[in-house]
Amino acid sequence: MTASERTGGSEPRGQGSRDGILRAAMQLFAERGFQETSVARVAQAAGVSKALVFWHFRNKEELFAAVIDRLLEPYILDVSGQDEALDERAQLNHLVVSYLKFVQENAASVRFFLQQLLRGQRTPASLSAQIMKLYAGYRDLLVDLIARAQQKRRDMRAIAPETAATFLMWALNGILVGLLFTGNGIAEPQSAVSVLDKWLFDAGLEDDSLSPSAD
Amino acid sequence: MTASERTGGSEPRGQGSRDGILRAAMQLFAERGFQETSVARVAQAAGVSKALVFWHFRNKEELFAAVIDRLLEPYILDVSGQDEALDERAQLNHLVVSYLKFVQENAASVRFFLQQLLRGQRTPASLSAQIMKLYAGYRDLLVDLIARAQQKRRDMRAIAPETAATFLMWALNGILVGLLFTGNGIAEPQSAVSVLDKWLFDAGLEDDSLSPSAD
DNA sequence: TGGTTTATTGACCGCTGGGTTAGGCGCTCG
DNA sequence: CGAGCGCCTAACCCAGCGGTCAATAAACCA
């Protein structure tokens, strides 16, 4: 089960192996971290000699950077899906659902990036910057949507959009932490959405749809 | 500045060095992680030979476990401070403030434990268990307080205590993440408390005390 | 065809890591 | 006093690390 013929061997020989190395490295780095993963191990997992890894990538750090770039690929803010026809409440819900779905689907890499971020100064500044940009982008979207919703609707909490967005981000980050820790997440992501939705919109209504043992 | 005469050399020679090693290891593990910290470096920081480290601790893992035990010491839920005379709202606020204060004061070790937890299976199960227990204890306290408050007061959100507690924990965890990432925290922990307090108690009031750029 | 380039390898190197060992110093107790 | 024990060290061991290199096979181009 050498990874080299994953694509059927149809590639120009060179890029096939590079890709295999990258894939192996992606998985190993994500599940064991940078220090705990040796280049030899990556090479072995890719079914290739260690020297070849150093032929494709100048050194381990460069391989790591390439892996990060790859892992970041799915992290584009898909705003295109924001249907202008939907009302703001639906769009907000959609945004929250997207977030939760994304985190659940990419749990491994989210966990990985969180770990990197937690390492503080000793992590490449560019990575932190990239993630922070994503974060800020998402938050701006929230602020914008909440502000627009408040202009149109009267049944909302009277609260500055920035404050509401900050609060929402807290909740989302908290849920994220819960998801990552307790392994495989809250039973019903939908229940989280409904709590947040009700917080923003139906400040006074009662609702117990959230499972009490959700932690 | 060898750490050996930290206590003035009054200890029975043996435990003094053990303590010095433990302290040095504590700091180094917390700020650089397990893999990135060599035993030699710990020994050097403790002003002691590497062999002595292995005399006190069978191997690096055991040293690590001892460090974790030490780091966990301040993590006791101080419920004694819960003044029965205070009303539930004040107690809840106090609980939240304590949480935030604790996280801010112990940021280094909190970050460290979070990192450990994120490593999933490859982290000692006992550590996860200990932290989970603390987490559950805190949450139980919240549930209890909220339930008691709801029985006494009428100005609260109509929401199941478990749901409210879960939501609160989300927010707290989210704030924690924010604190740990953006380095040195939100400017005013008090503003976070007030937002959460208002959420629980004054569902309809307006308040903008939270700085918009709090992320 | 033969030379150049592109991929690939096994063997190697220097160094650092965790861990061991043999021995030394000072205290205590019979 | 000297045997034994607790504490401590310098020196060593060696597996595994990141990284290099000379050799070589295949692909490409003249």
Side-chain angles (χ1 to χ4, degrees):
Chain A
M1 67 162 214
T2 60
S4 37
E5 60 268 344
R6 177 190 45 273
T7 52
S10 67
E11 301 194 5
R13 192 165 96 105
Q15 295 316 299
S17 72
R18 188 192 153 96
D19 208 68
I21 292 169
L22 223 37
R23 281 182 199 240
M26 236 169 73
Q27 180 173 346
L28 288 174
F29 280 146
E31 77 186 26
R32 309 175 95 91
F34 180 73
Q35 295 278 350
E36 289 93 329
T37 305
S38 72
V39 177
R41 191 100 168 53
V42 170
Q44 181 199 340
V48 111
S49 79
K50 188 177 59 155
L52 186 57
V53 176
F54 285 104
W55 187 84
H56 279 298
F57 307 91
R58 204 166 309 139
N59 50 39
K60 197 186 176 186
E61 302 256 354
E62 197 177 290
L63 170 62
F64 188 62
V67 164
I68 283 181
D69 277 351
R70 260 243 179 146
L71 281 177
L72 270 177
E73 272 171 19
Y75 285 69
I76 28 111
L77 261 185
D78 186 12
V79 199
S80 69
Q82 283 302 90
D83 197 338
E84 293 294 332
L86 288 168
D87 79 330
E88 283 77 10
R89 181 174 187 169
Q91 286 189 48
L92 271 169
N93 275 336
H94 175 75
L95 214 53
V96 171
V97 171
S98 305
Y99 180 96
L100 293 176
K101 237 179 70 184
F102 182 84
V103 168
Q104 229 155 358
E105 282 168 3
N106 300 68
S109 79
V110 170
R111 171 184 263 118
F112 173 72
F113 284 127
L114 208 57
Q115 230 168 323
Q116 288 308 118
L117 240 37
L118 273 179
R119 297 170 41 112
Q121 342 92 359
R122 288 172 358 276
T123 214
S126 64
L127 174 61
S128 311
Q130 262 177 292
I131 297 181
M132 285 307 172
K133 207 173 130 195
L134 278 169
Y135 184 91
Y138 188 89
R139 191 177 179 280
D140 289 347
L141 232 54
L142 281 184
V143 172
D144 196 51
L145 265 177
I146 294 173
R148 290 221 309 276
Q150 281 182 340
Q151 284 176 353
K152 286 201 193 166
R153 310 176 54 115
R154 284 290 89 204
D155 60 342
M156 279 190 76
R157 297 181 63 76
I159 193 170
E162 284 86 3
T163 308
T166 299
F167 194 36
L168 258 184
M169 292 305 290
W170 287 349
L172 288 179
N173 282 343
I175 294 174
L176 180 147
V177 169
L179 273 173
L180 261 38
F181 280 1
T182 65
N184 294 324
I186 46 185
E188 281 289 323
Q190 193 53 49
S191 63
V193 180
S194 105
V195 171
L196 293 179
D197 176 73
K198 286 206 163 43
W199 172 65
L200 268 175
F201 292 93
D202 316 312
L205 297 187
E206 182 152 2
D207 176 75
D208 287 351
S209 67
L210 189 70
S211 140
S213 55
D215 62 332
Chain B
M1 68 169 219
T2 60
S4 36
E5 59 267 343
R6 177 191 45 271
T7 52
S10 67
E11 301 194 5
R13 193 165 92 106
Q15 294 317 300
S17 72
R18 187 192 155 96
D19 209 68
I21 292 168
L22 222 38
R23 283 182 196 241
M26 235 169 72
Q27 180 173 346
L28 288 174
F29 280 148
E31 77 187 26
R32 310 174 92 88
F34 179 73
Q35 293 280 347
E36 288 94 329
T37 305
S38 71
V39 177
R41 189 101 171 51
V42 170
Q44 181 198 341
V48 111
S49 80
K50 188 175 62 152
L52 186 57
V53 176
F54 285 103
W55 188 84
H56 280 298
F57 307 91
R58 204 165 309 138
N59 50 38
K60 196 186 176 187
E61 303 257 351
E62 197 177 290
L63 170 62
F64 188 62
V67 164
I68 283 180
D69 279 351
R70 265 246 175 142
L71 281 176
L72 270 176
E73 273 171 19
Y75 287 67
I76 27 108
L77 260 185
D78 186 13
V79 199
S80 69
Q82 284 302 88
D83 196 340
E84 292 295 331
L86 287 168
D87 80 329
E88 283 78 10
R89 181 173 188 170
Q91 285 189 47
L92 270 169
N93 275 335
H94 175 75
L95 214 53
V96 171
V97 170
S98 305
Y99 179 96
L100 293 177
K101 236 179 71 186
F102 181 85
V103 168
Q104 230 155 358
E105 282 168 4
N106 300 68
S109 80
V110 170
R111 170 183 264 117
F112 173 72
F113 283 127
L114 208 57
Q115 229 168 324
Q116 287 309 118
L117 240 38
L118 275 179
R119 297 170 42 113
Q121 342 93 357
R122 287 171 359 277
T123 216
S126 64
L127 174 60
S128 311
Q130 263 177 290
I131 296 182
M132 286 304 171
K133 207 173 131 196
L134 278 169
Y135 185 92
Y138 188 88
R139 190 177 180 281
D140 288 347
L141 232 56
L142 281 184
V143 172
D144 195 51
L145 265 177
I146 294 172
R148 291 223 307 277
Q150 280 182 342
Q151 284 176 354
K152 286 200 191 168
R153 310 175 54 116
R154 283 290 91 205
D155 60 344
M156 278 191 76
R157 295 181 63 76
I159 193 169
E162 285 85 4
T163 308
T166 299
F167 194 37
L168 258 183
M169 293 303 292
W170 287 349
L172 288 179
N173 282 343
I175 294 174
L176 180 148
V177 169
L179 274 172
L180 261 39
F181 280 2
T182 65
N184 294 321
I186 46 184
E188 280 291 324
Q190 193 52 48
S191 63
V193 180
S194 105
V195 170
L196 293 178
D197 175 74
K198 285 205 164 45
W199 172 65
L200 268 176
F201 292 93
D202 315 312
L205 297 187
E206 182 154 2
D207 177 75
D208 287 352
S209 67
L210 188 69
S211 136
S213 55
D215 62 329

